[in-house]
Amino acid sequence: MNMRIGWIGVGRMGYAMAERLAKAGGDITVWNRTRAKAEPLAASGAKVAAYVTDLAACDVVFVMVSAWKDVASVITGPSGLLSGATAAKPRLIVECSSISVDGSAQLRAALDERGIALLAAPVSGNAKVIKAGRLSFVCSGPRAAFDAALPLLRMIAPAASYVGEGELARIVKICHNVFLGVVTQSLAEITILAQKAGVPRHAFLSFINDSVMGSTFSRYKTPAFVNLDFKVTFTPHLLRKDMDLGLEAGRRFEVPMPLASLTRDAVQTMIGFGLADQDFAQLLVVVAKASGLALVPENVPVGDGLS
Ligand SMILES: NC(=O)c1ccc[n+]([C@@H]2O[C@H](COP(=O)([O-])OP(=O)(O)OC[C@H]3O[C@@H](n4cnc5c(N)ncnc54)[C@H](OP(=O)(O)O)[C@@H]3O)[C@@H](O)[C@H]2O)c1
């Protein structure tokens, strides 16, 4: 527990995760490409590094950026973590971004050559879920790497599953996000259908949430669907990346995924409508437009099941 922890990437997810580690007393130094986003973490006890190479002397480095090309750039790129003049290097990298199996395997090979262990550790949950203490990790790689990281993972999230060697956690996370996309599109379609037939969205979702089909997810998206509170949690841009990773995996393993294909194009439509960096729950708005329905907030107090 005396480990020096480095943290790369404090976007929506990375910030909330690093904040939990800092508040739990972890000795953490953060670096973010846009430094201003990292600075408020100093109030929670984190140190802010000027250069990513400053983190090479840490024992463990967590990474939470966007896509595989970004992971490669911040770790093994020409100005990345391992590009410094000194021989300092972490013992373990815990890579949490949602990336492809192939990208993860390339990273593992590059780190193996340098004697650095890799734990693939993508997550389920958004920033609000992290703050509510409900995030979950799915991990793969050497069992010893998981055991070493577990005390730190537990400072961030109550749940961390180990699914085996290599890149298995990546495929689990890709499956999870295909499900997220398909469920969100389906929830948008049925909510608009119920509304056009005369049922207010809050009444419809209250029933769904209390039914056997309700879930943590349907509950925490209810304020967005009812009151059009579309604070950005996760973007169509990132969801399209995950749907594409799912469809690529479907081709590789020869699994037909018709629902995933349709949903991928629904997400693409959102992007074409200029909503790439909005919240993905605006899939509701796209379905409403396609149905000739002008959405207005219902202004009904509804819980999100988290707070
Ligand atoms: N949001 C969710 O609900 C959610 C849930 C589970 C998993 N995820 C996954 O978690 C990851 C992060 O998502 P997010 O929502 O936190 O994204 P985000 O808010 O867009 O943050 C992205 C972070 O990555 C950094 N970054 C991106 N490209 C970089 C590069 N080339 N070099 C250096 N830094 C770079 C950004 O730095 P700047 O600040 O300088 O731009 C920022 O810190 C993604 O892989 C996403 O798919 C997201």
Side-chain angles (χ1 to χ4, degrees):
M1 294 307 284
N2 295 324
M3 284 190 267
R4 288 163 303 164
I5 309 158
W7 194 287
I8 299 175
V10 293
R12 280 176 294 270
M13 296 296 286
Y15 189 99
M17 293 165 78
E19 187 177 41
R20 282 186 76 87
L21 255 180
K23 285 188 171 165
D27 175 6
I28 176 171
T29 306
V30 301
W31 175 84
N32 196 57
R33 178 177 61 183
T34 310
R35 185 187 167 121
K37 284 195 206 167
E39 274 160 2
L41 280 168
S44 306
K47 287 162 264 182
V48 179
Y51 302 100
V52 68
T53 45
D54 295 344
L55 305 187
C58 292
D59 300 300
V60 180
V61 175
F62 282 78
V63 180
M64 189 51 149
V65 292
S66 300
W68 158 236
K69 68 174 179 18
D70 309 308
V71 172
S73 159
V74 297
I75 302 180
T76 53
S79 319
L81 174 72
L82 304 175
S83 68
T86 72
K89 60 180 186 190
R91 279 184 279 132
L92 171 63
I93 289 183
V94 180
E95 207 303 301
C96 305
S97 323
S98 305
I99 61 170
S100 62
V101 171
D102 286 349
S104 192
Q106 276 183 54
L107 179 64
R108 191 177 300 284
L111 294 180
D112 267 356
E113 280 175 14
R114 294 165 163 94
I116 302 170
L118 172 66
L119 187 68
V123 299
S124 167
N126 64 25
K128 198 161 182 191
V129 172
I130 299 167
K131 282 197 176 71
R134 303 270 301 272
L135 188 74
S136 40
F137 285 97
V138 56
C139 303
S140 64
R143 178 82 211 197
F146 176 69
D147 291 341
L150 191 57
L152 302 178
L153 302 181
R154 286 264 160 78
M155 289 161 82
I156 303 170
S161 316
Y162 177 74
V163 291
E165 292 288 330
E167 318 320 321
L168 291 177
R170 304 299 184 182
I171 199 76
V172 175
K173 172 61 188 172
I174 290 167
C175 292
H176 171 284
N177 270 29
V178 167
F179 190 42
L180 172 74
V182 169
V183 165
T184 309
Q185 174 66 17
S186 180
L187 197 60
E189 290 175 12
I190 59 174
T191 302
I192 295 301
L193 173 62
Q195 180 178 350
K196 273 206 96 175
V199 185
R201 296 192 300 278
H202 70 272
F204 176 68
L205 288 164
S206 168
F207 167 70
I208 291 288
N209 288 338
D210 289 340
S211 77
V212 294
M213 298 306 292
S215 66
T216 301
F217 177 73
S218 68
R219 281 185 277 281
Y220 78 60
K221 276 298 167 201
T222 293
F225 274 29
V226 171
N227 294 325
L228 312 186
D229 166 11
F230 290 124
K231 181 178 182 302
V232 180
T233 60
F234 183 54
T235 61
H237 179 71
L238 289 174
L239 180 56
R240 181 182 61 183
K241 163 194 62 120
D242 296 338
M243 298 304 300
D244 283 339
L245 291 174
L247 291 169
E248 257 171 59
R251 281 193 285 276
R252 176 160 165 189
F253 292 102
E254 299 206 15
V255 177
M257 300 176 71
L259 293 180
S261 293
L262 289 170
T263 304
R264 190 266 177 209
D265 282 346
V267 176
Q268 180 62 55
T269 303
M270 275 190 89
I271 292 173
F273 285 164
L275 299 171
D277 295 314
Q278 299 299 312
D279 194 70
F280 73 112
Q282 291 210 41
L283 277 168
L284 183 82
V285 174
V286 177
V287 177
K289 273 198 184 129
S291 311
L293 183 70
L295 279 184
V296 289
E298 290 185 343
N299 295 324
V300 174
V302 285
D304 62 7
L306 293 174
S307 40

